[in-house]
Amino acid sequence: MFKNVKFEIIAWLVGLISASIIATIKLYPHHYILLICFILGIITLSVWRFLYLFDEGNRKLSYFINSVRNKDTTLNFPDDLPIKSSGQLNKALNQLNQMLKKIQMDSVAEEHYLQAIIDQSPTGLMVRDEQQKIILANKSVRDLCKLPSIYHLNQFDRVSARLKQIVANITPGDSKLENITIYQQKQQLSFQASAIRMRQRDLTLISIRNLQVELDEKEIESWVKLIRVLTHEIMNSLAPITSISQTLSNLSDQDISDEKKLSKAQKGLKVINNQAEGLIQFVNTYRSLTQIPTPKLESFNLKEEVEQWVALGKEYCPDIVFNIQVKEVQITSDKQMLSRVCTNLIKNACEALKNTPSPQVVIVYKQGKLSISNNGPQIEDEVLENIWVPFFTTKNNGSGIGLSLCKQIIKKLNATISVISNNDITTFSIQFN
């Protein structure tokens, strides 16, 4: 492009000088000084013209760059100019401007698309810069704080001083669980932070999960399941009592003097007594869930304890092969409470293996996790969902309290218990903290 400009200027300059020399020689053949002065004037005029055109191109480029920097895509240069090179320059700048305009529109559309995705996340997401400005806050955060938009930490002053303190001071890699009061409502929030770098800026991405909602849903679900089981057990006990009591209340004095009817009444009272004792036992069993003693922590050899559990298991089911994969390791826990849980799990595994060919129980301890597995039938998904619910059982003579009590004991020991059942392998795992 600039070559064309130079070519035009040089051609124009050569033409002017040639015409000037010819005209001067013909009109003033003996005035060479005048000829030299005239030629110098032409050269000066040509240089000025060249510099003007060159400076005009620079001005256009500078104006265009400033427009790009200010994200102004409305700029348009005329491309139908007498000087062909200037028209070509303007046309190229217009084309480049249209390309930048399309890139800018695509970028805005993509930004809106990503913002819509982020707003759909149930987890609150927030991005904070080094100046404590909020670069991004998705809908979950805005709904939690009841703010239409969030741009600075100072906006949290009207929400919660503790929330502002956590968001301001949390550093990448931190993880916090806090009970925070927001608008006089207590919330249990989980915070996690990670570092990101964007456009040469160090930013902190903060995720906020409202655990209170999840806990409330789980609590309601647990209560519903518990009430369903309690209702079933209590009604099973009360139904015969009600029926027999009604029959006995209809007996007259004459009926009581009849030996057969008296014997029948005594049998009815005995049934009522048995049902009442069963109901009392049921209540006492339920009470055991709420009266778990405080653990007495001590250090002991886990392998020795496992061998004792297995010895008890072999007495209960001698045909089962026990595979112990536990090394000599010292752990700190309540020995009696842990033994109660694990012997119950081994007993359940033995019962599940009654009709299994080549029955086997494998006990493994690795990286703080104690696992008890068996190769019995897979537990159905519906049973797995309710396996920890008190009084839920699939056994004919089961109380449904064993696994519920195990979970309560493990919780007291500051550990967690879980179960996985697939591909004919069922594993109960205790993770020590």
Side-chain angles (χ1 to χ4, degrees):
M1 185 181 298
F2 288 107
K3 290 182 178 180
N4 293 335
V5 174
K6 292 179 180 179
F7 179 76
E8 290 182 8
I9 297 298
I10 292 171
W12 183 72
L13 181 60
V14 171
L16 279 177
I17 293 175
S18 300
S20 301
I21 291 174
I22 294 172
T24 303
I25 291 175
K26 286 188 177 182
L27 296 175
Y28 308 100
H30 301 292
H31 296 79
Y32 295 103
I33 296 177
L34 182 62
L35 175 62
I36 293 172
C37 292
F38 186 77
I39 292 173
L40 289 175
I42 294 298
I43 293 174
T44 302
L45 179 63
S46 300
V47 171
W48 174 84
R49 175 66 175 171
F50 174 78
L51 293 175
Y52 173 79
L53 292 175
F54 186 78
D55 188 55
E56 183 182 18
N58 286 341
R59 284 198 304 272
K60 288 180 182 178
L61 288 175
S62 177
Y63 187 54
F64 177 77
I65 292 172
N66 287 331
S67 298
V68 172
R69 185 183 295 115
N70 296 325
K71 298 181 179 179
D72 180 12
T73 58
T74 60
L75 189 64
N76 186 60
F77 296 101
D79 53 7
D80 54 346
L81 299 177
I83 301 178
K84 185 178 180 181
S85 59
S86 295
Q88 290 176 343
L89 175 62
N90 289 357
K91 185 176 181 180
L93 291 175
N94 289 336
Q95 291 174 348
L96 181 58
N97 188 52
Q98 290 300 317
M99 291 174 59
L100 294 174
K101 184 177 182 179
K102 185 177 183 304
I103 292 173
Q104 183 178 343
M105 292 176 64
D106 292 344
S107 177
V108 172
E110 185 176 353
E111 183 178 346
H112 287 312
Y113 173 72
L114 293 175
Q115 183 66 46
I117 294 177
I118 293 172
D119 279 341
Q120 291 299 317
S121 172
T123 301
L125 297 174
M126 184 188 309
V127 178
R128 184 202 70 202
D129 68 3
E130 295 177 336
Q131 285 73 40
Q132 305 297 329
K133 291 182 179 179
I134 305 301
I135 308 301
L136 179 144
N138 72 343
K139 187 175 183 297
S140 296
V141 176
R142 300 195 301 269
D143 290 345
L144 176 67
C145 300
K146 293 181 173 58
L147 295 174
S149 58
I150 303 175
Y151 300 104
H152 200 277
L153 274 178
N154 292 335
Q155 293 178 262
F156 290 104
D157 288 334
R158 64 179 113 165
V159 180
S160 167
R162 180 57 181 160
L163 179 61
K164 177 183 177 181
Q165 182 183 11
I166 293 174
V167 174
N169 297 325
I170 193 169
T171 57
D174 284 352
S175 179
K176 297 179 180 291
L177 183 62
E178 296 280 343
N179 290 317
I180 299 176
T181 302
I182 299 178
Y183 296 113
Q184 299 181 346
Q185 185 175 2
K186 195 172 183 180
Q187 305 281 359
Q188 189 170 20
L189 303 178
S190 170
F191 297 85
Q192 287 185 329
S194 57
I196 57 176
R197 185 170 179 81
M198 184 177 67
R199 298 173 185 173
Q200 298 182 347
R201 298 171 65 188
D202 292 324
L203 305 174
T204 302
L205 174 63
I206 305 170
S207 64
I208 305 175
R209 287 185 61 196
N210 190 349
L211 300 181
Q212 192 63 46
V213 175
E214 299 179 17
L215 290 174
D216 289 343
E217 291 177 354
K218 290 292 183 183
E219 184 178 1
I220 293 173
E221 183 181 352
S222 298
W223 274 112
V224 170
K225 291 180 178 179
L226 180 58
I227 291 171
R228 187 186 302 126
V229 174
L230 288 174
T231 303
H232 176 75
E233 293 293 335
I234 293 173
M235 289 304 296
N236 283 347
S237 298
L238 291 179
I241 292 176
T242 304
S243 176
I244 295 173
S245 298
Q246 186 175 3
T247 302
L248 293 176
S249 65
N250 293 331
L251 292 176
S252 62
D253 294 339
Q254 186 177 3
D255 292 330
I256 295 177
S257 61
D258 189 336
E259 292 185 2
K260 290 184 178 180
K261 291 186 178 182
L262 182 60
S263 175
K264 185 177 180 181
Q266 290 175 343
K267 290 180 180 179
L269 290 173
K270 187 175 181 180
V271 170
I272 291 176
N273 181 69
N274 292 337
Q275 291 295 110
E277 287 181 353
L279 191 58
I280 292 172
Q281 184 180 359
F282 172 79
V283 173
N284 288 333
T285 304
Y286 174 74
R287 187 183 298 169
S288 66
L289 279 175
T290 59
Q291 295 181 344
I292 299 174
T294 302
K296 298 178 180 178
L297 302 181
E298 59 179 314
S299 179
F300 58 90
N301 189 307
L302 179 61
K303 185 176 181 181
E304 293 179 358
E305 284 299 308
V306 172
E307 289 174 348
Q308 293 182 22
W309 305 339
V310 170
L312 291 173
K314 286 181 177 179
E315 291 183 6
Y316 184 76
C317 40
D319 297 331
I320 294 177
V321 176
F322 287 87
N323 184 355
I324 301 176
Q325 300 179 19
V326 180
K327 297 180 180 179
E328 299 284 346
V329 60
Q330 294 287 125
I331 68 169
T332 300
S333 186
D334 187 304
K335 187 190 299 186
Q336 300 300 326
M337 294 175 73
L338 183 61
S339 176
R340 183 178 181 182
V341 171
C342 292
T343 52
N344 186 68
L345 294 178
I346 291 174
K347 180 181 177 182
N348 289 346
C350 292
E351 292 177 351
L353 292 170
K354 283 185 177 179
N355 299 319
T356 301
S358 303
Q360 185 178 17
V361 174
V362 180
I363 304 176
V364 180
Y365 180 79
K366 186 177 182 181
Q367 297 180 347
K369 179 186 288 187
L370 178 64
S371 301
I372 300 176
S373 305
N374 69 81
N375 60 339
Q378 180 175 336
I379 302 176
E380 297 178 0
D381 292 340
E382 183 179 353
V383 176
L384 279 177
E385 290 179 3
N386 298 280
I387 202 168
W388 307 112
V389 177
F391 311 111
F392 175 83
T393 181
T394 57
K395 302 175 184 177
N396 294 330
N397 299 320
S399 65
I401 203 68
L403 288 178
S404 302
L405 188 59
C406 287
K407 187 165 187 177
Q408 293 294 325
I409 292 174
I410 291 300
K411 186 177 180 181
K412 279 279 189 179
L413 295 176
N414 193 28
T416 57
I417 186 170
S418 60
V419 58
I420 297 176
S421 184
N422 49 39
N423 299 327
D424 294 331
I425 296 293
T426 299
T427 302
F428 283 84
S429 300
I430 300 173
Q431 179 67 60
F432 297 96
N433 295 326

PDB file of all heavy atoms in Angstrom, residues 288-293 295 337 341 388 390 401-415 417:
ATOM      1  N   SER A 288     -32.291 -47.021  73.096  1.00  0.00           N
ATOM      2  CA  SER A 288     -30.852 -47.314  73.000  1.00  0.00           C
ATOM      3  C   SER A 288     -30.173 -46.458  71.943  1.00  0.00           C
ATOM      4  O   SER A 288     -28.964 -46.214  72.013  1.00  0.00           O
ATOM      5  CB  SER A 288     -30.637 -48.798  72.687  1.00  0.00           C
ATOM      6  OG  SER A 288     -31.136 -49.119  71.386  1.00  0.00           O
ATOM      7  N   LEU A 289     -30.947 -45.996  70.946  1.00  0.00           N
ATOM      8  CA  LEU A 289     -30.364 -45.129  69.923  1.00  0.00           C
ATOM      9  C   LEU A 289     -29.987 -43.757  70.470  1.00  0.00           C
ATOM     10  O   LEU A 289     -29.094 -43.096  69.948  1.00  0.00           O
ATOM     11  CB  LEU A 289     -31.366 -44.941  68.767  1.00  0.00           C
ATOM     12  CG  LEU A 289     -31.447 -46.049  67.719  1.00  0.00           C
ATOM     13  CD1 LEU A 289     -32.569 -45.763  66.739  1.00  0.00           C
ATOM     14  CD2 LEU A 289     -30.134 -46.199  66.987  1.00  0.00           C
ATOM     15  N   THR A 290     -30.698 -43.334  71.500  1.00  0.00           N
ATOM     16  CA  THR A 290     -30.493 -41.977  72.018  1.00  0.00           C
ATOM     17  C   THR A 290     -29.658 -41.959  73.293  1.00  0.00           C
ATOM     18  O   THR A 290     -29.467 -40.889  73.872  1.00  0.00           O
ATOM     19  CB  THR A 290     -31.855 -41.317  72.298  1.00  0.00           C
ATOM     20  OG1 THR A 290     -32.569 -42.113  73.258  1.00  0.00           O
ATOM     21  CG2 THR A 290     -32.676 -41.227  71.020  1.00  0.00           C
ATOM     22  N   GLN A 291     -29.203 -43.122  73.744  1.00  0.00           N
ATOM     23  CA  GLN A 291     -28.447 -43.180  74.996  1.00  0.00           C
ATOM     24  C   GLN A 291     -27.107 -43.888  74.796  1.00  0.00           C
ATOM     25  O   GLN A 291     -26.733 -44.784  75.546  1.00  0.00           O
ATOM     26  CB  GLN A 291     -29.271 -43.896  76.074  1.00  0.00           C
ATOM     27  CG  GLN A 291     -30.527 -43.145  76.467  1.00  0.00           C
ATOM     28  CD  GLN A 291     -31.322 -43.848  77.553  1.00  0.00           C
ATOM     29  OE1 GLN A 291     -31.107 -45.026  77.818  1.00  0.00           O
ATOM     30  NE2 GLN A 291     -32.241 -43.141  78.184  1.00  0.00           N
ATOM     31  N   ILE A 292     -26.411 -43.498  73.754  1.00  0.00           N
ATOM     32  CA  ILE A 292     -25.087 -44.072  73.485  1.00  0.00           C
ATOM     33  C   ILE A 292     -24.068 -43.407  74.404  1.00  0.00           C
ATOM     34  O   ILE A 292     -24.013 -42.168  74.471  1.00  0.00           O
ATOM     35  CB  ILE A 292     -24.697 -43.868  72.012  1.00  0.00           C
ATOM     36  CG1 ILE A 292     -25.718 -44.577  71.111  1.00  0.00           C
ATOM     37  CG2 ILE A 292     -23.292 -44.382  71.739  1.00  0.00           C
ATOM     38  CD1 ILE A 292     -25.523 -44.325  69.648  1.00  0.00           C
ATOM     39  N   PRO A 293     -23.274 -44.172  75.139  1.00  0.00           N
ATOM     40  CA  PRO A 293     -22.322 -43.572  76.088  1.00  0.00           C
ATOM     41  C   PRO A 293     -21.202 -42.804  75.385  1.00  0.00           C
ATOM     42  O   PRO A 293     -20.946 -42.989  74.190  1.00  0.00           O
ATOM     43  CB  PRO A 293     -21.766 -44.798  76.831  1.00  0.00           C
ATOM     44  CG  PRO A 293     -21.940 -45.935  75.869  1.00  0.00           C
ATOM     45  CD  PRO A 293     -23.207 -45.641  75.116  1.00  0.00           C
ATOM     46  N   PRO A 295     -17.585 -42.099  74.239  1.00  0.00           N
ATOM     47  CA  PRO A 295     -16.469 -43.017  73.953  1.00  0.00           C
ATOM     48  C   PRO A 295     -15.303 -42.812  74.920  1.00  0.00           C
ATOM     49  O   PRO A 295     -14.994 -41.692  75.309  1.00  0.00           O
ATOM     50  CB  PRO A 295     -16.077 -42.641  72.515  1.00  0.00           C
ATOM     51  CG  PRO A 295     -17.257 -41.949  71.937  1.00  0.00           C
ATOM     52  CD  PRO A 295     -17.919 -41.245  73.076  1.00  0.00           C
ATOM     53  N   MET A 337     -16.742 -50.124  71.820  1.00  0.00           N
ATOM     54  CA  MET A 337     -17.773 -49.626  70.910  1.00  0.00           C
ATOM     55  C   MET A 337     -17.469 -50.043  69.473  1.00  0.00           C
ATOM     56  O   MET A 337     -18.363 -50.456  68.717  1.00  0.00           O
ATOM     57  CB  MET A 337     -17.896 -48.106  71.018  1.00  0.00           C
ATOM     58  CG  MET A 337     -18.400 -47.642  72.383  1.00  0.00           C
ATOM     59  SD  MET A 337     -18.408 -45.837  72.597  1.00  0.00           S
ATOM     60  CE  MET A 337     -19.784 -45.385  71.549  1.00  0.00           C
ATOM     61  N   VAL A 341     -19.650 -52.663  66.880  1.00  0.00           N
ATOM     62  CA  VAL A 341     -20.063 -52.368  65.501  1.00  0.00           C
ATOM     63  C   VAL A 341     -19.550 -53.438  64.541  1.00  0.00           C
ATOM     64  O   VAL A 341     -20.305 -53.993  63.725  1.00  0.00           O
ATOM     65  CB  VAL A 341     -19.546 -50.968  65.070  1.00  0.00           C
ATOM     66  CG1 VAL A 341     -19.771 -50.752  63.574  1.00  0.00           C
ATOM     67  CG2 VAL A 341     -20.241 -49.885  65.874  1.00  0.00           C
ATOM     68  N   TRP A 388     -30.022 -47.463  56.818  1.00  0.00           N
ATOM     69  CA  TRP A 388     -29.637 -46.825  58.078  1.00  0.00           C
ATOM     70  C   TRP A 388     -30.849 -46.322  58.863  1.00  0.00           C
ATOM     71  O   TRP A 388     -30.681 -45.744  59.941  1.00  0.00           O
ATOM     72  CB  TRP A 388     -28.680 -45.664  57.825  1.00  0.00           C
ATOM     73  CG  TRP A 388     -27.478 -46.027  57.011  1.00  0.00           C
ATOM     74  CD1 TRP A 388     -27.190 -45.610  55.743  1.00  0.00           C
ATOM     75  CD2 TRP A 388     -26.389 -46.870  57.390  1.00  0.00           C
ATOM     76  NE1 TRP A 388     -26.003 -46.144  55.312  1.00  0.00           N
ATOM     77  CE2 TRP A 388     -25.481 -46.931  56.306  1.00  0.00           C
ATOM     78  CE3 TRP A 388     -26.091 -47.596  58.545  1.00  0.00           C
ATOM     79  CZ2 TRP A 388     -24.310 -47.673  56.343  1.00  0.00           C
ATOM     80  CZ3 TRP A 388     -24.918 -48.333  58.584  1.00  0.00           C
ATOM     81  CH2 TRP A 388     -24.042 -48.371  57.497  1.00  0.00           C
ATOM     82  N   PRO A 390     -33.799 -46.321  61.365  1.00  0.00           N
ATOM     83  CA  PRO A 390     -34.127 -47.151  62.535  1.00  0.00           C
ATOM     84  C   PRO A 390     -35.365 -48.014  62.301  1.00  0.00           C
ATOM     85  O   PRO A 390     -36.356 -47.556  61.711  1.00  0.00           O
ATOM     86  CB  PRO A 390     -34.383 -46.119  63.638  1.00  0.00           C
ATOM     87  CG  PRO A 390     -33.614 -44.914  63.217  1.00  0.00           C
ATOM     88  CD  PRO A 390     -33.681 -44.903  61.720  1.00  0.00           C
ATOM     89  N   ILE A 401     -32.657 -52.376  64.277  1.00  0.00           N
ATOM     90  CA  ILE A 401     -31.944 -51.388  65.090  1.00  0.00           C
ATOM     91  C   ILE A 401     -30.430 -51.510  64.958  1.00  0.00           C
ATOM     92  O   ILE A 401     -29.688 -50.573  65.258  1.00  0.00           O
ATOM     93  CB  ILE A 401     -32.353 -51.527  66.581  1.00  0.00           C
ATOM     94  CG1 ILE A 401     -32.091 -50.225  67.331  1.00  0.00           C
ATOM     95  CG2 ILE A 401     -31.628 -52.680  67.239  1.00  0.00           C
ATOM     96  CD1 ILE A 401     -32.970 -49.113  66.931  1.00  0.00           C
ATOM     97  N   GLY A 402     -29.950 -52.678  64.467  1.00  0.00           N
ATOM     98  CA  GLY A 402     -28.511 -52.958  64.452  1.00  0.00           C
ATOM     99  C   GLY A 402     -27.695 -51.947  63.679  1.00  0.00           C
ATOM    100  O   GLY A 402     -26.787 -51.306  64.222  1.00  0.00           O
ATOM    101  N   LEU A 403     -27.998 -51.767  62.382  1.00  0.00           N
ATOM    102  CA  LEU A 403     -27.200 -50.864  61.555  1.00  0.00           C
ATOM    103  C   LEU A 403     -27.411 -49.404  61.956  1.00  0.00           C
ATOM    104  O   LEU A 403     -26.484 -48.600  61.863  1.00  0.00           O
ATOM    105  CB  LEU A 403     -27.544 -51.067  60.079  1.00  0.00           C
ATOM    106  CG  LEU A 403     -27.033 -52.378  59.465  1.00  0.00           C
ATOM    107  CD1 LEU A 403     -27.478 -52.504  58.020  1.00  0.00           C
ATOM    108  CD2 LEU A 403     -25.510 -52.458  59.558  1.00  0.00           C
ATOM    109  N   SER A 404     -28.627 -49.064  62.397  1.00  0.00           N
ATOM    110  CA  SER A 404     -28.869 -47.693  62.863  1.00  0.00           C
ATOM    111  C   SER A 404     -28.018 -47.394  64.079  1.00  0.00           C
ATOM    112  O   SER A 404     -27.419 -46.317  64.193  1.00  0.00           O
ATOM    113  CB  SER A 404     -30.347 -47.507  63.208  1.00  0.00           C
ATOM    114  OG  SER A 404     -31.156 -47.783  62.100  1.00  0.00           O
ATOM    115  N   LEU A 405     -27.950 -48.375  65.007  1.00  0.00           N
ATOM    116  CA  LEU A 405     -27.123 -48.202  66.192  1.00  0.00           C
ATOM    117  C   LEU A 405     -25.643 -48.139  65.821  1.00  0.00           C
ATOM    118  O   LEU A 405     -24.878 -47.353  66.391  1.00  0.00           O
ATOM    119  CB  LEU A 405     -27.384 -49.354  67.162  1.00  0.00           C
ATOM    120  CG  LEU A 405     -26.749 -49.243  68.552  1.00  0.00           C
ATOM    121  CD1 LEU A 405     -27.230 -47.986  69.257  1.00  0.00           C
ATOM    122  CD2 LEU A 405     -27.076 -50.479  69.382  1.00  0.00           C
ATOM    123  N   CYS A 406     -25.239 -48.956  64.849  1.00  0.00           N
ATOM    124  CA  CYS A 406     -23.847 -48.921  64.370  1.00  0.00           C
ATOM    125  C   CYS A 406     -23.478 -47.533  63.859  1.00  0.00           C
ATOM    126  O   CYS A 406     -22.397 -47.011  64.161  1.00  0.00           O
ATOM    127  CB  CYS A 406     -23.642 -49.950  63.264  1.00  0.00           C
ATOM    128  SG  CYS A 406     -23.598 -51.665  63.834  1.00  0.00           S
ATOM    129  N   LYS A 407     -24.377 -46.940  63.097  1.00  0.00           N
ATOM    130  CA  LYS A 407     -24.084 -45.615  62.538  1.00  0.00           C
ATOM    131  C   LYS A 407     -23.977 -44.567  63.644  1.00  0.00           C
ATOM    132  O   LYS A 407     -23.111 -43.680  63.595  1.00  0.00           O
ATOM    133  CB  LYS A 407     -25.168 -45.228  61.539  1.00  0.00           C
ATOM    134  CG  LYS A 407     -24.846 -43.944  60.783  1.00  0.00           C
ATOM    135  CD  LYS A 407     -25.723 -43.757  59.571  1.00  0.00           C
ATOM    136  CE  LYS A 407     -25.250 -42.570  58.752  1.00  0.00           C
ATOM    137  NZ  LYS A 407     -26.038 -42.380  57.519  1.00  0.00           N
ATOM    138  N   GLN A 408     -24.854 -44.665  64.649  1.00  0.00           N
ATOM    139  CA  GLN A 408     -24.794 -43.716  65.765  1.00  0.00           C
ATOM    140  C   GLN A 408     -23.490 -43.877  66.546  1.00  0.00           C
ATOM    141  O   GLN A 408     -22.867 -42.885  66.951  1.00  0.00           O
ATOM    142  CB  GLN A 408     -25.997 -43.934  66.691  1.00  0.00           C
ATOM    143  CG  GLN A 408     -27.340 -43.576  66.072  1.00  0.00           C
ATOM    144  CD  GLN A 408     -27.465 -42.102  65.786  1.00  0.00           C
ATOM    145  OE1 GLN A 408     -26.962 -41.262  66.528  1.00  0.00           O
ATOM    146  NE2 GLN A 408     -28.123 -41.759  64.688  1.00  0.00           N
ATOM    147  N   ILE A 409     -23.078 -45.125  66.763  1.00  0.00           N
ATOM    148  CA  ILE A 409     -21.828 -45.370  67.493  1.00  0.00           C
ATOM    149  C   ILE A 409     -20.635 -44.832  66.711  1.00  0.00           C
ATOM    150  O   ILE A 409     -19.745 -44.170  67.273  1.00  0.00           O
ATOM    151  CB  ILE A 409     -21.656 -46.877  67.772  1.00  0.00           C
ATOM    152  CG1 ILE A 409     -22.716 -47.349  68.769  1.00  0.00           C
ATOM    153  CG2 ILE A 409     -20.251 -47.172  68.302  1.00  0.00           C
ATOM    154  CD1 ILE A 409     -22.717 -48.848  68.997  1.00  0.00           C
ATOM    155  N   ILE A 410     -20.597 -45.108  65.403  1.00  0.00           N
ATOM    156  CA  ILE A 410     -19.480 -44.636  64.570  1.00  0.00           C
ATOM    157  C   ILE A 410     -19.423 -43.114  64.561  1.00  0.00           C
ATOM    158  O   ILE A 410     -18.343 -42.512  64.573  1.00  0.00           O
ATOM    159  CB  ILE A 410     -19.626 -45.192  63.135  1.00  0.00           C
ATOM    160  CG1 ILE A 410     -19.392 -46.695  63.123  1.00  0.00           C
ATOM    161  CG2 ILE A 410     -18.655 -44.509  62.185  1.00  0.00           C
ATOM    162  CD1 ILE A 410     -18.025 -47.128  63.598  1.00  0.00           C
ATOM    163  N   LYS A 411     -20.587 -42.488  64.555  1.00  0.00           N
ATOM    164  CA  LYS A 411     -20.622 -41.019  64.612  1.00  0.00           C
ATOM    165  C   LYS A 411     -20.038 -40.526  65.929  1.00  0.00           C
ATOM    166  O   LYS A 411     -19.314 -39.520  65.962  1.00  0.00           O
ATOM    167  CB  LYS A 411     -22.059 -40.538  64.449  1.00  0.00           C
ATOM    168  CG  LYS A 411     -22.194 -39.024  64.353  1.00  0.00           C
ATOM    169  CD  LYS A 411     -23.642 -38.622  64.119  1.00  0.00           C
ATOM    170  CE  LYS A 411     -23.752 -37.097  64.031  1.00  0.00           C
ATOM    171  NZ  LYS A 411     -25.169 -36.665  63.824  1.00  0.00           N
ATOM    172  N   LYS A 412     -20.363 -41.221  67.025  1.00  0.00           N
ATOM    173  CA  LYS A 412     -19.794 -40.866  68.330  1.00  0.00           C
ATOM    174  C   LYS A 412     -18.273 -41.002  68.333  1.00  0.00           C
ATOM    175  O   LYS A 412     -17.564 -40.277  69.045  1.00  0.00           O
ATOM    176  CB  LYS A 412     -20.388 -41.764  69.411  1.00  0.00           C
ATOM    177  CG  LYS A 412     -21.755 -41.336  69.904  1.00  0.00           C
ATOM    178  CD  LYS A 412     -21.644 -40.226  70.928  1.00  0.00           C
ATOM    179  CE  LYS A 412     -22.985 -39.939  71.587  1.00  0.00           C
ATOM    180  NZ  LYS A 412     -22.874 -38.867  72.608  1.00  0.00           N
ATOM    181  N   LEU A 413     -17.765 -41.954  67.537  1.00  0.00           N
ATOM    182  CA  LEU A 413     -16.320 -42.184  67.463  1.00  0.00           C
ATOM    183  C   LEU A 413     -15.633 -41.211  66.497  1.00  0.00           C
ATOM    184  O   LEU A 413     -14.465 -41.381  66.153  1.00  0.00           O
ATOM    185  CB  LEU A 413     -16.046 -43.626  67.012  1.00  0.00           C
ATOM    186  CG  LEU A 413     -16.492 -44.731  67.980  1.00  0.00           C
ATOM    187  CD1 LEU A 413     -16.251 -46.100  67.371  1.00  0.00           C
ATOM    188  CD2 LEU A 413     -15.773 -44.596  69.311  1.00  0.00           C
ATOM    189  N   ASN A 414     -16.382 -40.211  66.024  1.00  0.00           N
ATOM    190  CA  ASN A 414     -15.850 -39.210  65.091  1.00  0.00           C
ATOM    191  C   ASN A 414     -15.342 -39.860  63.806  1.00  0.00           C
ATOM    192  O   ASN A 414     -14.301 -39.518  63.266  1.00  0.00           O
ATOM    193  CB  ASN A 414     -14.724 -38.397  65.739  1.00  0.00           C
ATOM    194  CG  ASN A 414     -14.381 -37.160  64.936  1.00  0.00           C
ATOM    195  OD1 ASN A 414     -15.232 -36.608  64.234  1.00  0.00           O
ATOM    196  ND2 ASN A 414     -13.130 -36.730  65.005  1.00  0.00           N
ATOM    197  N   ALA A 415     -16.109 -40.828  63.324  1.00  0.00           N
ATOM    198  CA  ALA A 415     -15.790 -41.517  62.078  1.00  0.00           C
ATOM    199  C   ALA A 415     -17.059 -41.556  61.215  1.00  0.00           C
ATOM    200  O   ALA A 415     -18.117 -41.082  61.632  1.00  0.00           O
ATOM    201  CB  ALA A 415     -15.269 -42.923  62.358  1.00  0.00           C
ATOM    202  N   ILE A 417     -19.402 -44.133  58.361  1.00  0.00           N
ATOM    203  CA  ILE A 417     -19.624 -45.481  57.861  1.00  0.00           C
ATOM    204  C   ILE A 417     -20.448 -45.399  56.581  1.00  0.00           C
ATOM    205  O   ILE A 417     -21.357 -44.580  56.463  1.00  0.00           O
ATOM    206  CB  ILE A 417     -20.321 -46.367  58.919  1.00  0.00           C
ATOM    207  CG1 ILE A 417     -20.405 -47.815  58.434  1.00  0.00           C
ATOM    208  CG2 ILE A 417     -21.683 -45.821  59.297  1.00  0.00           C
ATOM    209  CD1 ILE A 417     -20.861 -48.785  59.511  1.00  0.00           C
TER     210      ILE A 417
END
